[in-house]
Amino acid sequence: MARPETPKPIRGTQDLFGESARRHHAVVEAFERVRRLYGFQQVQIPIFEATAVFARSIGETTDVVSKEMYTFEDRGGDSLTLRPEFTAGLCRAYLTEGWQQFAPLKLATHGPVFRYERPQKGRYRQFHQIDAEVIGAAEPAADVELLVLADQLLKELGIADGVTLQLNTLGDSETRDAWRQALVAHFEGHRGDLSEDSQTRLDKNPLRILDSKDPRDRPIADAAPGIDDHMSSEAGAFFEAVTKGLDAAGVAWTRNARLVRGLDYYRHTAFEFVTDRLGAQGTVLGGGRYDGLIETLGGPHTPAVGWAAGIERLGMLLEEPAAEAIEAVMVPMGEAAEAVALGLVAKLRRSGVATDMAFKGNMKKRMAKASASGATYALILGDNELSEGKIIVRNLVEGQQATASIESIGSMPLSLLWQIPTGSASSTGAQYIAEILKGGPGAA
Ligand code: ATP
Ligand code: MG
């Protein structure tokens, strides 16, 4: 019978294994550590929501909603969407779960998000984000806290040096409206030279032209008027409070007056942490204040601010994380020894020692596995040792060994056992193993 064809992985998805899995884990682990230092609660929300959650809060005219969402009808005929980001779902939960009573609420979450994009380095269709939000706080102190958190995370990951915080303000509604008019006037003057996408944006959402990656748009966007000439005094004071807070906390930032965020709901603070080490996918973390979002979901006016970062992009910037090493490998030889070894391995693991067991092949193969595992200790148990109630503790790093009693395994640290002088111990087992390791008579 012909073998069936193996199904292919979905384009733009990843199977994380080995180094890529370790990079991913290192990012999440650092985020978990840092968010606790800042008092952000860990939450989990569904991977899919009613399509309206994203369509309404992110905005119909954004790339995410108009081109990138995985939307489908379920068997009951409801329109569902795989989350393209966390913020909208968190705000939905804030309203439907009664989390308002805890405001201001500091939340942290991480997991997969989905966007239908053209896959390339640093850009996937299923990728992963870490996300931090403060919901129900209008004060610039919340913006500052989130930015300092992000900065500390990058420092703990050891990647802060190549990454710059670019900061902007989108002002309040008054400021934004005035700026928008100035932008429309500017872009209308160059309409014919804009990309097709940006010509559409000009009618629907002109601010987003500033965000365009199309080379035809860049010079026009770069020459566009900045927001500062239109800033209301309230909006200016808010921005100043944020920048003063960052300075007080020792967080470096630069002003990027052209920075707008892809999503519609931003007000006041907008920011990105960018690097030139990832080619076109240079934004590793982005966010801002979204005071209007919760109202679009039918909730009361609720100021909020947050950010999200791509775990893959952060992971690519890391020094390669060390492989996880096991501390000890049990190497039993013979049926009786294997049975005892199972018990010893369980005892070691319960006592907190990361332990593996080599149970395949001859002695030489098993010792080779022990060495390759990166373990510090091989615990060698043959019939000879067993009959004497002993076990060989070999320090693979030092290349030396000692004999210990079987009962001591899992009852005291292996480092102590290895150091106990064993003048009285039988050396037959030890000699045997030493010969094997040299490729001597017992090696076959
Ligand atoms: P970009 O401009 O690169 O498309 P974005 O503005 O769409 O990014 P956000 O919506 O702000 O991205 O998402 C926050 C972070 O998620 C980004 O800074 C980036 O690190 C990561 N990210 C976004 N889209 C992808 C993707 N398709 N694959 C991998 N990571 C992504
Ligand atoms: Mg995008």
Side-chain angles (χ1 to χ4, degrees):
M1 205 178 80
R3 275 205 210 177
E5 204 177 311
T6 303
K8 305 241 173 329
I10 307 294
R11 209 162 112 76
T13 63
Q14 318 166 74
D15 297 297
L16 302 174
F17 175 79
E19 186 184 331
S20 62
R22 289 199 298 277
R23 286 179 181 277
H24 188 101
H25 182 66
V27 173
V28 173
E29 214 178 26
F31 179 60
E32 274 297 295
R33 210 167 50 234
V34 176
R35 65 101 187 141
R36 237 176 278 138
L37 295 174
Y38 285 73
F40 280 62
Q41 291 191 55
Q42 159 79 287
V43 290
Q44 293 294 340
I45 55 169
I47 281 177
F48 54 6
E49 297 274 354
T51 299
V53 170
F54 306 112
R56 275 160 54 185
S57 62
I58 300 174
E60 305 274 1
T61 64
T62 60
D63 284 355
V64 169
V65 172
S66 63
K67 299 182 193 160
E68 297 175 358
M69 293 207 304
Y70 277 93
T71 297
F72 58 97
E73 217 173 77
D74 75 359
R75 290 170 192 275
D78 293 325
S79 178
L80 306 181
T81 294
L82 301 183
R83 63 184 181 204
E85 52 131 58
F86 281 102
T87 310
L90 287 170
C91 290
R92 189 275 307 149
Y94 180 85
L95 294 172
T96 59
E97 302 303 313
W99 294 351
Q100 287 119 299
Q101 61 181 307
F102 306 115
L105 192 55
K106 301 200 287 186
L107 301 177
T109 191
H110 64 86
V113 293
F114 306 84
R115 294 185 192 178
Y116 192 80
E117 298 199 71
R118 193 170 66 78
Q120 50 198 296
K121 184 179 169 230
R123 194 174 292 285
Y124 312 93
R125 290 180 174 176
Q126 174 174 338
F127 60 105
H128 301 82
Q129 286 184 337
I130 50 177
D131 184 285
E133 316 277 348
V134 181
I135 306 183
E139 296 74 18
D143 310 48
V144 173
E145 187 169 35
L146 276 162
L147 284 163
V148 182
L149 193 169
D151 177 77
Q152 184 166 347
L153 175 68
L154 298 180
K155 286 185 172 134
E156 297 216 359
L157 288 170
I159 61 179
D161 272 353
V163 182
T164 317
L165 165 55
Q166 297 195 349
L167 187 66
N168 198 17
T169 174
L170 305 176
D172 44 22
S173 323
E174 186 192 327
T175 307
R176 206 174 144 131
D177 289 347
W179 185 35
R180 186 189 150 103
Q181 275 182 19
L183 285 173
V184 170
H186 170 77
F187 290 130
E188 281 296 355
H190 299 87
R191 182 181 271 274
D193 299 323
L194 291 169
S195 67
E196 296 74 32
D197 273 353
S198 283
Q199 292 186 20
T200 314
R201 288 179 187 127
L202 183 46
D203 301 322
K204 291 185 173 162
N205 192 350
L207 256 63
R208 304 242 358 278
I209 300 175
L210 294 173
D211 206 22
S212 168
K213 294 190 176 76
D214 193 303
R216 288 171 290 175
D217 297 332
R218 273 330 314 164
I220 306 171
D222 290 338
I227 193 172
D228 290 3
D229 295 340
H230 310 280
M231 195 89 78
S232 71
S233 57
E234 289 86 355
F238 191 98
F239 189 55
E240 198 186 334
V242 173
T243 58
K244 282 207 166 128
L246 292 176
D247 294 342
V251 173
W253 58 275
T254 58
R255 176 78 192 275
N256 175 356
R258 303 267 171 317
L259 188 146
V260 290
R261 301 273 309 142
L263 315 182
D264 271 352
Y265 46 60
Y266 287 100
R267 289 288 178 279
H268 290 295
T269 321
F271 54 85
E272 288 183 346
F273 286 78
V274 296
T275 177
D276 51 18
R277 287 174 53 203
L278 294 176
Q281 275 59 253
T283 306
V284 292
L285 184 153
R289 180 163 278 283
Y290 51 90
D291 291 351
L293 189 153
I294 288 186
E295 281 162 287
T296 69
L297 292 175
H301 176 71
T302 309
V305 52
W307 57 251
I311 294 179
E312 288 82 359
R313 292 188 195 173
L314 290 172
M316 287 191 286
L317 293 173
L318 296 180
E319 289 277 327
E320 186 181 342
E324 276 174 16
I326 210 117
E327 189 174 342
V329 176
M330 179 68 71
V331 185
M333 223 42 230
E335 240 172 77
E338 273 189 27
V340 173
L342 282 173
L344 293 179
V345 166
K347 198 173 156 197
L348 278 165
R349 289 170 173 163
R350 288 184 192 122
S351 75
V353 179
T355 311
D356 218 341
M357 174 127 124
F359 48 74
K360 255 180 122 77
N362 61 22
M363 190 66 189
K364 196 174 177 186
K365 279 230 174 78
R366 294 182 188 203
M367 282 308 294
K369 178 187 160 75
S371 304
S373 72
T376 309
Y377 300 100
L379 306 171
I380 302 155
L381 188 62
D383 288 340
N384 285 347
E385 286 75 33
L386 194 58
S387 65
E388 292 169 18
K390 305 277 185 196
I391 186 164
I392 297 171
V393 180
R394 181 174 178 87
N395 184 317
L396 296 165
V397 180
E398 310 272 334
Q400 304 216 28
Q401 63 194 35
T403 307
S405 73
I406 285 180
E407 297 85 81
S408 58
I409 297 299
S411 311
M412 57 200 303
L414 292 170
S415 56
L416 287 181
L417 289 178
W418 173 67
Q419 282 160 17
I420 290 172
T422 52
S424 61
S426 132
S427 60
T428 50
Q431 278 163 358
Y432 173 72
I433 299 305
E435 274 173 19
I436 285 169
L437 290 173
K438 279 195 221 113

Short mmCIF file of all heavy atoms in Angstrom, two decimals, residues 61-83:
data_model
loop_
_atom_site.label_atom_id
_atom_site.label_comp_id
_atom_site.label_asym_id
_atom_site.label_seq_id
_atom_site.Cartn_x
_atom_site.Cartn_y
_atom_site.Cartn_z
N THR A 61 -10.51 50.29 9.16
CA THR A 61 -9.62 50.77 8.10
C THR A 61 -8.16 50.37 8.31
O THR A 61 -7.30 50.68 7.51
CB THR A 61 -9.67 52.30 7.99
OG1 THR A 61 -9.15 52.84 9.22
CG2 THR A 61 -11.07 52.81 7.77
N THR A 62 -7.87 49.67 9.39
CA THR A 62 -6.47 49.29 9.63
C THR A 62 -6.11 48.06 8.79
O THR A 62 -6.98 47.29 8.38
CB THR A 62 -6.26 48.93 11.11
OG1 THR A 62 -7.12 47.84 11.43
CG2 THR A 62 -6.59 50.10 12.01
N ASP A 63 -4.81 47.89 8.54
CA ASP A 63 -4.34 46.70 7.83
C ASP A 63 -4.75 45.45 8.56
O ASP A 63 -5.17 44.46 7.95
CB ASP A 63 -2.81 46.71 7.71
CG ASP A 63 -2.34 47.68 6.64
OD1 ASP A 63 -3.20 48.26 5.93
OD2 ASP A 63 -1.11 47.87 6.52
N VAL A 64 -4.62 45.49 9.89
CA VAL A 64 -4.91 44.28 10.66
C VAL A 64 -6.34 43.81 10.38
O VAL A 64 -6.57 42.64 10.07
CB VAL A 64 -4.70 44.52 12.18
CG1 VAL A 64 -5.26 43.37 13.00
CG2 VAL A 64 -3.22 44.71 12.49
N VAL A 65 -7.30 44.72 10.47
CA VAL A 65 -8.70 44.30 10.29
C VAL A 65 -9.03 44.09 8.82
O VAL A 65 -9.71 43.12 8.45
CB VAL A 65 -9.66 45.31 10.94
CG1 VAL A 65 -11.12 44.99 10.60
CG2 VAL A 65 -9.46 45.31 12.46
N SER A 66 -8.54 44.97 7.95
CA SER A 66 -8.99 44.87 6.57
C SER A 66 -8.27 43.77 5.79
O SER A 66 -8.80 43.25 4.82
CB SER A 66 -8.83 46.21 5.86
OG SER A 66 -7.46 46.58 5.80
N LYS A 67 -7.06 43.38 6.20
CA LYS A 67 -6.31 42.40 5.39
C LYS A 67 -5.77 41.21 6.16
O LYS A 67 -5.41 40.20 5.56
CB LYS A 67 -5.07 43.08 4.78
CG LYS A 67 -5.33 44.23 3.87
CD LYS A 67 -3.98 44.73 3.35
CE LYS A 67 -4.10 46.07 2.68
NZ LYS A 67 -2.78 46.73 2.62
N GLU A 68 -5.59 41.32 7.47
CA GLU A 68 -4.74 40.34 8.14
C GLU A 68 -5.47 39.37 9.06
O GLU A 68 -4.86 38.45 9.59
CB GLU A 68 -3.64 41.07 8.93
CG GLU A 68 -2.71 41.90 8.05
CD GLU A 68 -1.69 42.73 8.81
OE1 GLU A 68 -1.71 42.71 10.06
OE2 GLU A 68 -0.88 43.41 8.15
N MET A 69 -6.78 39.53 9.26
CA MET A 69 -7.43 38.69 10.27
C MET A 69 -7.80 37.32 9.72
O MET A 69 -8.19 37.17 8.57
CB MET A 69 -8.68 39.38 10.82
CG MET A 69 -8.34 40.62 11.63
SD MET A 69 -9.55 41.02 12.90
CE MET A 69 -11.06 41.17 11.96
N TYR A 70 -7.68 36.33 10.59
CA TYR A 70 -8.20 34.98 10.30
C TYR A 70 -9.62 34.93 10.83
O TYR A 70 -9.84 34.71 12.03
CB TYR A 70 -7.35 33.93 11.00
CG TYR A 70 -6.11 33.56 10.23
CD1 TYR A 70 -4.90 34.20 10.48
CD2 TYR A 70 -6.15 32.57 9.24
CE1 TYR A 70 -3.76 33.86 9.77
CE2 TYR A 70 -5.01 32.23 8.52
CZ TYR A 70 -3.82 32.88 8.79
OH TYR A 70 -2.70 32.54 8.09
N THR A 71 -10.57 35.18 9.93
CA THR A 71 -11.97 35.22 10.32
C THR A 71 -12.70 34.04 9.69
O THR A 71 -12.45 33.71 8.54
CB THR A 71 -12.58 36.55 9.85
OG1 THR A 71 -11.91 37.61 10.53
CG2 THR A 71 -14.07 36.64 10.15
N PHE A 72 -13.55 33.39 10.45
CA PHE A 72 -14.28 32.24 9.91
C PHE A 72 -15.62 32.11 10.62
O PHE A 72 -15.82 32.67 11.71
CB PHE A 72 -13.48 30.94 10.09
CG PHE A 72 -13.13 30.64 11.53
CD1 PHE A 72 -13.91 29.77 12.28
CD2 PHE A 72 -12.05 31.26 12.15
CE1 PHE A 72 -13.61 29.50 13.61
CE2 PHE A 72 -11.73 30.99 13.49
CZ PHE A 72 -12.51 30.12 14.21
N GLU A 73 -16.49 31.39 9.96
CA GLU A 73 -17.79 31.14 10.56
C GLU A 73 -17.72 29.80 11.27
O GLU A 73 -17.21 28.83 10.71
CB GLU A 73 -18.84 31.06 9.44
CG GLU A 73 -20.15 31.68 9.82
CD GLU A 73 -21.08 31.72 8.62
OE1 GLU A 73 -21.63 30.65 8.28
OE2 GLU A 73 -21.22 32.81 8.02
N ASP A 74 -18.20 29.72 12.50
CA ASP A 74 -18.16 28.42 13.17
C ASP A 74 -19.42 27.64 12.80
O ASP A 74 -20.24 28.11 12.02
CB ASP A 74 -17.96 28.58 14.69
CG ASP A 74 -19.21 29.06 15.42
OD1 ASP A 74 -20.25 29.29 14.76
OD2 ASP A 74 -19.13 29.22 16.65
N ARG A 75 -19.57 26.45 13.34
CA ARG A 75 -20.69 25.59 12.92
C ARG A 75 -22.04 26.17 13.31
O ARG A 75 -23.07 25.80 12.77
CB ARG A 75 -20.52 24.19 13.53
CG ARG A 75 -19.37 23.45 12.91
CD ARG A 75 -19.06 22.17 13.68
NE ARG A 75 -17.79 21.63 13.25
CZ ARG A 75 -17.65 20.84 12.18
NH1 ARG A 75 -18.70 20.50 11.47
NH2 ARG A 75 -16.46 20.40 11.84
N GLY A 76 -22.02 27.09 14.27
CA GLY A 76 -23.28 27.73 14.66
C GLY A 76 -23.59 28.97 13.84
O GLY A 76 -24.58 29.66 14.09
N GLY A 77 -22.69 29.30 12.89
CA GLY A 77 -22.93 30.45 12.02
C GLY A 77 -22.44 31.77 12.59
O GLY A 77 -22.68 32.83 12.02
N ASP A 78 -21.70 31.73 13.72
CA ASP A 78 -21.15 32.98 14.28
C ASP A 78 -19.83 33.32 13.62
O ASP A 78 -19.04 32.43 13.31
CB ASP A 78 -20.92 32.82 15.79
CG ASP A 78 -22.23 32.67 16.55
OD1 ASP A 78 -23.22 33.32 16.13
OD2 ASP A 78 -22.28 31.90 17.52
N SER A 79 -19.58 34.60 13.42
CA SER A 79 -18.30 35.03 12.85
C SER A 79 -17.27 35.18 13.96
O SER A 79 -17.43 35.99 14.87
CB SER A 79 -18.47 36.36 12.11
OG SER A 79 -17.21 36.77 11.62
N LEU A 80 -16.24 34.36 13.89
CA LEU A 80 -15.18 34.37 14.90
C LEU A 80 -13.87 34.77 14.25
O LEU A 80 -13.69 34.61 13.05
CB LEU A 80 -15.03 32.97 15.52
CG LEU A 80 -16.27 32.33 16.12
CD1 LEU A 80 -15.94 30.98 16.72
CD2 LEU A 80 -16.89 33.24 17.17
N THR A 81 -12.95 35.28 15.08
CA THR A 81 -11.64 35.67 14.56
C THR A 81 -10.56 35.22 15.53
O THR A 81 -10.69 35.40 16.74
CB THR A 81 -11.59 37.20 14.36
OG1 THR A 81 -12.51 37.55 13.31
CG2 THR A 81 -10.20 37.68 13.97
N LEU A 82 -9.50 34.62 14.97
CA LEU A 82 -8.33 34.29 15.79
C LEU A 82 -7.67 35.60 16.19
O LEU A 82 -7.44 36.46 15.34
CB LEU A 82 -7.34 33.44 15.00
CG LEU A 82 -7.84 32.10 14.46
CD1 LEU A 82 -6.69 31.36 13.76
CD2 LEU A 82 -8.42 31.25 15.58
N ARG A 83 -7.33 35.76 17.44
CA ARG A 83 -6.86 37.07 17.91
C ARG A 83 -5.61 37.52 17.13
O ARG A 83 -4.63 36.79 17.04
CB ARG A 83 -6.56 37.03 19.41
CG ARG A 83 -5.44 36.06 19.78
CD ARG A 83 -5.25 36.01 21.29
NE ARG A 83 -4.16 35.09 21.62
CZ ARG A 83 -4.02 34.46 22.77
NH1 ARG A 83 -4.90 34.63 23.75
NH2 ARG A 83 -3.01 33.66 22.99
#
